[in-house]
Amino acid sequence: MSTENPGFKWGVSTAALQTEGAFDKDGKGLSVWDEFAKRKRKIGDKSNPSVATDFYNRYPEDIAILNQLKIPNFRFSVSWPRVIPMGTGQSNEKGLDFYDRLTDHLLENNIVPWTTLYHWDLPHELQKRGGWFNRDILNWFGEYVHLVTNRLGDRIKNWMVLNEPMAFTGAGYLLGVHAPGERGIGSFVSAAHHAALATAAGASIIRSNVANAYVGSTFSQSWVEPHSSGIKDQQAAQRVHDMLNLFFILPATGHPYPLKHLKFLNKIEKFIKPGDESKLNANLDFVGVQTYTREVIKYSWTVPFIKASMVSAIKRKQPYTQMGWEVCPESIYHVLKNLQSVPGLPPIIITENGAAFADEINNDGIINDTERIAYLDNHIQQMQRAMKEGVDVRGYFAWSLTDNFEWAEGYRPRFGLVHIDYENNLKRTIKESAKWYAGRIKD
Ligand code: BGC
């Protein structure tokens, strides 16, 4: 593969909150997820991210695994409350030191770092001041991006501003199922507009501080299909597509918000200040596409505003993962092909794709996760099919290096290429899928 596409970036992705643990160590401030996990019935298995996989202490072990597997690119995120405990103001030298050590260790092992600035762990102190509702977040975020890029920009060249703005504003500010647990259209549109502005502002700060920066931001994408050919289902699918797939990627690439079929989001206009339109284009070098499944949508008058609901994979008798998500390899092909309709879209990197399955260790200590191997293999093939048809894809990162804290689901879903034994001192075991992936990506 690499010889067919020289320069293609193969890697694995992770995120701070899901792996680091050490939630209050060395001066770290709390994040909204540390607080959210304390609330009743918010995390499926009643767990919390306090320890996670202890990446904060065990990163050398994980990097040794990357080295052993010869995985050339590693995506991680920086925890904002670890480096600025109150979210704004005083920085935390020990927190910054951690990212220095991590970066240096990656580079010493010839692994290229790819760094996300915001993967959902907002400082709790900022949430107390309104978080993403408060337009001041643009100043707070700017201060944070300056700090991190000035510190690491001499060694890290590949940056992503936000991780999946639709996921954190949709789940965290519209549905209330992710931190900080807010609900409603009003809270969603204000958080969304500030996140869209932060994407562009963050990208421009990275460029001003980092010589030869390669700047992107990541967007969740699903293949959305109507449940039937009836007009109501088709229109419902159109609304869901515009919201899930286009709402953030369009403004980031120089287009207006897609409000034509989403009249209920018109309220966003209340938050758009004069001149904002010209501040939304992030001029990205790449878009990070994160895709897992397809969504089949039917019209549903009982669902407020969007009037649409998902028909589950189980109902449709399709194979599904531990998340209940359909295993549908063609979805990545259609996601990529659909993006061709966005004028001026920069090259794409698949910054996340992967699957959670209930892995078992056999008597020989081997985890033969054949379903995950098939998932990755088929998705990579479908990505290559889109590339052959002209979609400009420059890289593929599997989610995730290790099993980890899967947000509101806790530790139950296992997305890792490497198994974590939560009962036994967080022991790492390389799954067969990791060996398969290593073989697949080698020159
Ligand atoms: C997120 C990851 C998450 C994965 C699987 C993506 O939306 O960026 O943090 O673990 O999906 O749910």
Side-chain angles (χ1 to χ4, degrees):
M1 172 65 204
S2 313
T3 42
E4 280 167 51
N5 292 286
F8 193 84
K9 311 292 181 205
W10 293 101
V12 290
S13 287
T14 64
L17 190 282
Q18 296 179 272
T19 58
E20 285 179 5
F23 79 106
D24 64 351
K25 198 156 168 219
D26 295 337
K28 178 181 169 291
L30 295 181
S31 79
V32 287
W33 276 93
D34 295 312
E35 285 298 318
F36 189 66
K38 290 178 190 161
R39 289 163 60 180
K40 271 200 185 134
R41 289 189 295 278
K42 292 294 178 191
I43 309 295
D45 62 1
K46 302 194 174 68
S47 64
N48 62 55
S50 302
V51 178
T53 70
D54 196 25
F55 182 76
Y56 187 75
N57 294 304
R58 296 170 79 148
Y59 71 90
E61 199 180 326
D62 290 346
I63 292 175
I65 293 175
L66 289 174
N67 205 357
Q68 182 185 337
L69 297 169
K70 298 208 166 34
I71 293 178
N73 295 284
F74 180 62
R75 174 174 174 237
F76 66 92
S77 73
V78 173
S79 158
W80 184 350
R82 190 177 295 290
V83 298
I84 311 181
M86 302 293 284
T88 174
Q90 188 61 47
S91 62
N92 177 26
E93 197 53 30
K94 286 189 171 167
L96 288 162
D97 279 351
F98 166 66
Y99 295 106
D100 266 337
R101 290 196 300 278
L102 172 60
T103 303
D104 290 344
H105 203 72
L106 286 165
L107 294 173
E108 280 155 21
N109 284 277
N110 290 319
I111 298 164
V112 180
W114 294 68
T115 307
T116 316
L117 285 157
Y118 183 79
H119 202 129
W120 306 355
D121 44 358
L122 185 74
H124 174 59
E125 291 299 325
L126 294 184
Q127 183 56 33
K128 288 196 205 156
R129 298 164 72 176
W132 285 101
F133 299 146
N134 188 339
R135 198 173 160 112
D136 287 347
I137 193 142
L138 295 171
N139 298 327
W140 304 329
F141 186 62
E143 193 188 320
Y144 162 67
V145 176
H146 269 297
L147 177 75
V148 175
T149 51
N150 276 328
R151 179 74 170 228
L152 301 172
D154 56 336
R155 287 153 290 158
I156 299 180
K157 299 298 167 189
N158 306 300
W159 294 90
M160 284 143 284
V161 186
L162 300 185
N163 184 72
E164 297 189 357
M166 179 45 73
F168 79 79
T169 57
Y173 292 82
L174 177 65
L175 304 173
V177 295
H178 274 193
E182 301 288 342
R183 271 170 218 257
I185 294 285
S187 69
F188 168 71
V189 288
S190 77
H193 183 53
H194 299 144
L197 287 168
T199 307
S204 131
I205 296 172
I206 299 168
R207 280 188 208 295
S208 67
N209 291 342
V210 181
N212 305 317
Y214 188 51
V215 184
S217 200
T218 80
F219 302 88
S220 43
Q221 296 284 312
S222 297
W223 179 31
V224 176
E225 281 218 296
H227 186 52
S228 77
S229 57
I231 184 76
K232 289 204 151 190
D233 283 355
Q234 286 199 26
Q235 287 170 342
Q238 176 77 58
R239 288 193 293 279
V240 172
H241 172 72
D242 288 5
M243 182 148 173
L244 289 191
N245 295 331
L246 300 180
F247 199 76
F248 285 96
I249 214 165
L250 287 184
T253 53
H255 309 282
Y257 286 114
L259 294 174
K260 190 170 155 208
H261 305 293
L262 302 173
K263 297 273 183 276
F264 59 94
L265 295 180
N266 278 348
K267 267 195 188 163
I268 199 165
E269 279 154 13
K270 213 172 97 191
F271 298 93
I272 303 179
K273 295 220 165 140
D276 276 5
E277 279 91 349
S278 64
K279 295 185 188 146
L280 288 167
N281 187 341
N283 295 305
L284 300 172
D285 298 318
F286 70 96
V287 291
V289 165
Q290 318 209 135
T291 186
Y292 289 88
T293 191
R294 106 170 127 172
E295 306 293 357
V296 174
I297 300 298
K298 67 171 188 196
Y299 171 75
S300 180
W301 65 273
T302 53
V303 179
F305 305 110
I306 192 133
K307 303 280 178 217
S309 61
M310 290 168 184
V311 186
S312 73
I314 306 173
K315 261 204 185 132
R316 289 182 283 115
K317 301 199 171 34
Q318 295 299 312
Y320 58 93
T321 70
Q322 273 187 309
M323 300 293 282
W325 299 345
E326 180 185 356
V327 176
C328 176
E330 308 82 65
S331 64
I332 192 170
Y333 167 81
H334 290 286
V335 157
L336 291 170
K337 291 290 284 186
N338 286 341
L339 284 172
Q340 284 186 308
S341 69
V342 178
L345 193 82
I348 293 168
I349 293 185
I350 302 291
T351 38
E352 285 183 26
N353 176 239
F357 292 110
D359 304 313
E360 276 168 32
I361 306 197
N362 73 16
N363 293 338
D364 303 320
I366 289 172
I367 301 165
N368 197 7
D369 52 339
T370 51
E371 285 176 299
R372 183 171 293 101
I373 294 174
Y375 180 100
L376 295 172
D377 193 8
N378 293 331
H379 280 74
I380 290 170
Q381 284 182 39
Q382 291 287 336
M383 170 186 75
Q384 292 174 337
R385 179 179 157 214
M387 290 165 70
K388 284 202 188 94
E389 293 178 23
V391 185
D392 189 357
V393 185
R394 307 276 175 97
Y396 175 96
F397 286 62
W399 181 268
S400 182
L401 174 61
T402 58
D403 296 333
N404 57 47
F405 179 74
E406 177 52 36
W407 309 108
E409 308 290 325
Y411 295 95
R412 187 188 60 89
R414 292 181 175 274
F415 273 95
L417 299 177
V418 175
H419 181 268
I420 300 282
D421 190 342
Y422 297 108
E423 311 292 309
N424 180 19
N425 193 29
L426 303 172
K427 181 170 180 278
R428 274 76 169 144
T429 305
I430 295 176
K431 302 180 192 177
E432 292 305 294
S433 58
K435 299 177 196 163
W436 175 86
Y437 187 58
R440 184 70 182 74
I441 69 180
K442 102 166 171 258
D443 290 324

